[in-house]
Amino acid sequence: MDNSAKANMTPNPTSNLAPNLTTVEQMEADAAKLKELACAACAETWDDRRASQQPQCVFGESGICCRICSMGPCRITKKASRGICGADAHAIAGRHYLRMAAAGSAAHSDHGREIAHVLHMASPDGNYRVRDEQKLLRLAAEWGVETEGRDIYDVAREVSEIGLAEYGKPFGKLRFLSRATKERQELWERTGVSPRAIDREIAASLHMTTMGNTADPEALVRQSLRVGMADGWGGSMMGTEFTDILFGTPTARATESNLGVLEKDMVNIIVHGHDPAFSEMVVLAAETKELADYARSKGAKGINIAGLCCTANEVTMRHGVRMAGNFLQQENALLTGAVEMICVDVQCIFPALAALAGCFHTKFVTTSPIARIPGSIYVEFRPETAMEQAMQLVREAVGNFENRDAAKVFIPASKQAAVVGYPNEQIIRELDGVTNSHVDARGSYAPAIDSIKAGVLRGAVAMVGCNNPKVRPDYSHIEIMKELLGNDVLIVASGCSAQAAAKAGLMSREARFICGAGLRRVCELVGIPPVLHMGACVDISRMMLLVNEIADDWGVDVTQLPIVGCAPEWMSEKAVAIANYVVATGIDTYLGIEPQVKGSERMMELITEGTRKITGAGYVINTDPRELAAAILAGIEAKRAALGI
Ligand code: BF8
Ligand code: SF4
């Protein structure tokens, strides 16, 4: 069914109780106004291109088109049940699915590797320093690195080298697996989903799916779990740990979200992508007096940095930098006509930004050899010269302010206050008062567990993932969240889902007024918003640790907890990797977009039921957000009943 059909949606009754929230209808009105102006500027956006792509290929959508070798492409049809080599629908869909998981794992893990290299070159007088020594020391202790009497930068180098070795070590399993509960570790070992080196699982996945290899869908699904694990318990976890060490573990802080954070009288610079090594420098450069003075000399009131996508999540959690929006808002940000420069690093960047920037005075700057885009200004970012390069780019953005055409500027007023920055350390701090200053003290989740046992909280949901034009952008995120909050379900969120929540106002403390009585009481007692911002998509690794630590404190297996994951609008290969490691970790995952395997009944059965026999968890797929929310609530209640609570 096509969920973009608005008429099919019934209004959520809780909306009326929260007049200060921003609705999807308001966001759509802003987008429509921007679009109107876009037509005047001759700009096209994703919805035009989506229209020109209709009808989309049903073979591709069902996962039964194979072009892995040049005998193909082969399509499975009623009259052709096998490709030229004899691969059937299950093999073709399974191989495609594993390739998506491997690509997603590669993206997150390569990002983690970049950060490990940055940590390796950190120095007390360089561009990058160690900001969270305690976290570094904890990791050093975990990995058996000597710290006594050593310079902290020597320790950082050795730790980063061990981290980098995790990518290609010839023997053994990933070190971070030992952070999981004993039960999980044993299960992973028993079922063959413990990853070896990160790169090895990615290479093995490509090898398995090349022409003439694995045709057994069960083996392809099992490897999907394993390569996903190499991401969540490997590359992503590395990215998160090393980012915290370099730039500080986030703490709760106030910010704002939505296009209204762009400023009419200021130089607006947008940072977009995922790798914080570059955007951190842009933020610091914009804070220098030299550039602030320069901005004033050009008639601007100052320099306003705003974020898009996961880069926004990274810099908002550590600096309070305001968030302009999520994935399907990237073009809208440029359509305001008020952006002097957009600097991107890697992942989730529309190549369309080049043409769109050309309709305005906006400078579109790409900075990574991983994401080269025709029509952009390419400034290859190097950690050694990071600050210098950031200063130069911000200077150019300021210089571009005078080229802004006031007649093309329209900044929607919509913005919402949000409190962001809830990594596990902050959650523990809020719950337990533990400061985590001692390297061994993790603190306890007992207050949260007691609330769940008592039924004050029914459970928790990790809301994650992208926007996808196959459904109404942000609608599923926001409406599912409202439904869960109304039913006393606490939410942790990351990626574009976190930004949807922030744009709607669900990350403000006032959002407690749409919650059920139990969750409202918890929010009031602890002083938290009901949707906790845990960071970027690599930070879903934080969520994996969170559930394992809760399971440990509770004394049950992860699969027994009334805690599930939900990606209602996912689109990226990275989301396939994530969904696989979340399921491998024992957490049911509710998807609002169908994985591209439905041309194979066997694959559909394997990802929804088959994995339950391996990991105890699987997907629940429903493209109707109301039904998906109801399924989540039912799933949580079933877990509670099984626990006897
Ligand atoms: O890594 S949620 S659209 S921005 S892939 Fe991309 Fe999806 Fe957003 Fe962050 Ni994650
Ligand atoms: Fe066709 Fe087999 Fe080649 Fe795929 S691998 S394109 S099914 S011949």
Side-chain angles (χ1 to χ4, degrees):
M1 113 179 206
D2 184 1
N3 276 329
S4 54
K6 299 175 196 175
N8 291 343
M9 299 296 161
T10 47
N12 185 334
T14 55
S15 307
N16 303 332
L17 302 173
N20 58 340
L21 295 188
T22 302
T23 63
V24 173
E25 285 75 13
Q26 285 168 281
M27 295 181 204
E28 286 169 346
D30 288 343
K33 180 81 199 265
L34 285 164
K35 180 76 190 173
E36 204 184 301
L37 299 172
C39 294
C42 298
E44 71 165 28
T45 52
W46 60 264
D47 42 342
D48 304 309
R49 295 186 296 272
R50 175 168 153 75
S52 66
Q53 282 295 331
Q54 300 310 311
Q56 284 175 289
C57 170
V58 289
F59 296 99
E61 191 162 50
S62 313
I64 48 173
C65 169
C66 183
R67 43 178 295 275
I68 274 173
C69 85
S70 74
M71 291 191 282
C74 300
R75 299 179 309 183
I76 301 302
T77 62
K78 279 202 180 87
K79 70 172 176 52
S81 63
R82 288 180 185 271
I84 293 168
C85 68
D88 61 13
H90 317 301
I92 291 172
R95 287 173 179 177
H96 177 67
Y97 177 77
L98 173 53
R99 285 202 163 203
M100 286 188 87
S105 191
H108 277 151
S109 301
D110 209 33
H111 162 176
R113 179 181 357 233
E114 286 297 324
I115 299 287
H117 278 292
V118 174
L119 180 63
H120 192 261
M121 59 154 299
S123 68
D125 49 4
N127 288 316
Y128 296 98
R129 314 213 175 120
V130 170
R131 293 252 163 69
D132 190 338
E133 288 194 12
Q134 292 303 323
K135 194 150 194 165
L136 173 60
L137 292 174
R138 276 200 299 277
L139 186 54
E142 184 179 333
W143 285 354
V145 173
E146 185 57 62
T147 56
E148 203 59 40
R150 282 182 78 184
D151 182 273
I152 195 76
Y153 287 90
D154 281 343
V155 176
R157 256 188 306 281
E158 189 174 340
V159 164
S160 63
E161 280 168 15
I162 294 176
L164 286 164
E166 289 293 282
Y167 285 83
K169 62 186 182 186
F171 306 108
K173 300 283 158 59
L174 289 187
R175 287 169 179 262
F176 281 140
L177 300 181
S178 64
R179 293 175 160 196
T181 63
K182 235 172 113 276
E183 293 83 355
R184 269 296 116 184
Q185 292 182 54
E186 282 165 12
L187 178 141
W188 289 334
E189 204 47 45
R190 204 170 53 242
T191 55
V193 299
S194 299
R196 298 155 294 183
I198 298 164
D199 289 349
R200 179 163 185 191
E201 297 309 344
I202 296 164
S205 303
L206 294 180
H207 188 182
M208 278 176 80
T209 53
T210 200
M211 199 274 153
N213 283 322
T214 300
D216 171 9
E218 201 274 345
L220 293 165
V221 166
R222 202 177 285 258
Q223 179 61 19
S224 302
L225 295 168
R226 199 177 202 187
V227 80
M229 287 288 296
D231 172 359
W233 291 84
S236 273
M237 202 169 277
M238 205 94 72
T240 295
E241 290 281 322
F242 291 168
T243 300
D244 283 355
I245 290 168
L246 277 167
F247 305 117
T249 302
T251 51
R253 64 190 65 228
T255 187
E256 289 178 326
S257 180
N258 213 346
L259 292 175
V261 306
L262 297 174
E263 298 288 349
K264 192 159 95 14
D265 303 323
M266 294 174 85
V267 175
N268 290 305
I269 301 176
I270 288 186
V271 286
H272 174 22
H274 288 77
D275 181 345
F278 173 67
S279 46
E280 278 277 334
M281 290 297 132
V282 175
V283 171
L284 296 181
E287 283 170 356
T288 59
K289 183 170 179 308
E290 178 194 333
L291 289 173
D293 288 347
Y294 182 46
R296 274 188 289 276
S297 79
K298 290 285 178 185
K301 287 195 173 145
I303 303 168
N304 179 40
I305 306 280
L308 276 171
C309 285
C310 283
T311 285
N313 290 321
E314 297 278 6
V315 289
T316 198
M317 296 230 298
R318 296 189 178 84
H319 299 277
V321 166
R322 298 182 299 168
M323 301 181 277
N326 46 1
F327 181 61
L328 282 182
Q329 191 135 296
Q330 54 186 292
E331 292 177 302
N332 289 354
L334 297 202
L335 291 179
T336 61
V339 177
E340 275 58 55
M341 180 178 281
I342 177 166
C343 293
V344 303
D345 48 83
V346 294
Q347 302 170 16
C348 301
I349 300 149
F350 276 9
L353 294 183
L356 195 52
C359 297
F360 300 89
H361 71 305
T362 308
K363 288 181 190 272
F364 174 39
V365 179
T366 48
T367 61
S368 168
I370 295 291
R372 298 290 307 262
I373 298 177
S376 65
I377 303 162
Y378 182 59
V379 179
E380 188 167 323
F381 164 67
R382 292 182 195 281
E384 306 78 28
T385 49
M387 192 57 185
E388 235 168 86
Q389 289 180 297
M391 291 287 288
Q392 181 55 28
L393 285 173
V394 173
R395 199 172 289 118
E396 278 177 33
V398 172
N400 196 24
F401 182 67
E402 61 196 14
N403 297 323
R404 192 191 284 182
D405 178 352
K408 285 184 177 175
V409 172
F410 168 66
I411 303 175
S414 304
K415 63 178 173 184
Q416 280 282 354
V419 185
V420 298
Y422 290 94
N424 304 12
E425 291 87 340
Q426 182 69 22
I427 293 175
I428 281 275
R429 206 173 288 133
E430 305 279 7
L431 286 175
D432 207 28
V434 167
T435 59
N436 245 347
S437 58
H438 187 272
V439 288
D440 300 322
R442 137 155 110 67
S444 156
Y445 292 94
I449 294 170
D450 291 345
S451 302
I452 295 176
K453 282 184 181 166
V456 177
L457 295 180
R458 304 307 293 175
V461 173
M463 292 291 301
V464 304
C466 328
N467 296 130
N468 186 327
K470 286 190 169 147
V471 293
R472 204 173 152 190
D474 289 337
Y475 184 85
S476 301
H477 286 298
I478 293 170
E479 292 307 310
I480 290 172
M481 284 193 235
K482 284 181 185 170
E483 195 69 32
L484 298 175
L485 297 179
N487 284 282
D488 291 322
V489 173
L490 180 73
I491 293 172
V492 292
S494 71
C496 289
S497 192
Q499 300 198 355
K503 285 196 288 180
L506 297 174
M507 283 183 173
S508 67
R509 293 202 172 98
E510 288 62 44
R512 69 185 187 278
F513 293 118
I514 65 155
C515 298
L519 177 56
R520 180 157 68 235
R521 205 155 72 242
V522 169
C523 290
E524 278 164 0
L525 273 173
V526 186
I528 50 171
V531 181
L532 300 177
H533 189 300
M534 287 195 83
C537 289
V538 287
D539 294 325
I540 297 172
S541 59
R542 298 188 200 272
M543 297 175 180
M544 298 304 97
L545 294 177
L546 183 70
V547 288
N548 273 269
E549 288 169 1
I550 290 174
D552 232 0
D553 286 357
W554 192 319
V556 296
D557 185 55
V558 172
T559 44
Q560 293 175 273
L561 297 173
I563 297 178
V564 302
C566 176
E569 304 182 18
W570 72 275
M571 63 84 202
S572 169
E573 290 165 322
K574 291 180 285 173
V576 181
I578 293 168
N580 270 287
Y581 73 70
V582 173
V583 163
T585 304
I587 303 163
D588 285 337
T589 301
Y590 291 74
L591 303 177
I593 304 285
E594 290 170 321
Q596 292 171 332
V597 300
K598 68 179 175 198
S600 158
E601 272 171 34
R602 181 79 184 109
M603 276 301 295
M604 283 303 281
E605 192 276 329
L606 277 165
I607 59 174
T608 52
E609 293 304 323
T611 56
R612 292 176 197 278
K613 292 180 203 117
I614 307 172
T615 74
Y619 298 158
V620 176
I621 305 163
N622 195 318
T623 56
D624 181 320
R626 294 251 162 269
E627 289 176 16
L628 195 61
I632 294 171
L633 290 170
I636 285 175
E637 290 306 322
K639 299 246 181 211
R640 293 185 62 91
L643 278 167
I645 56 173

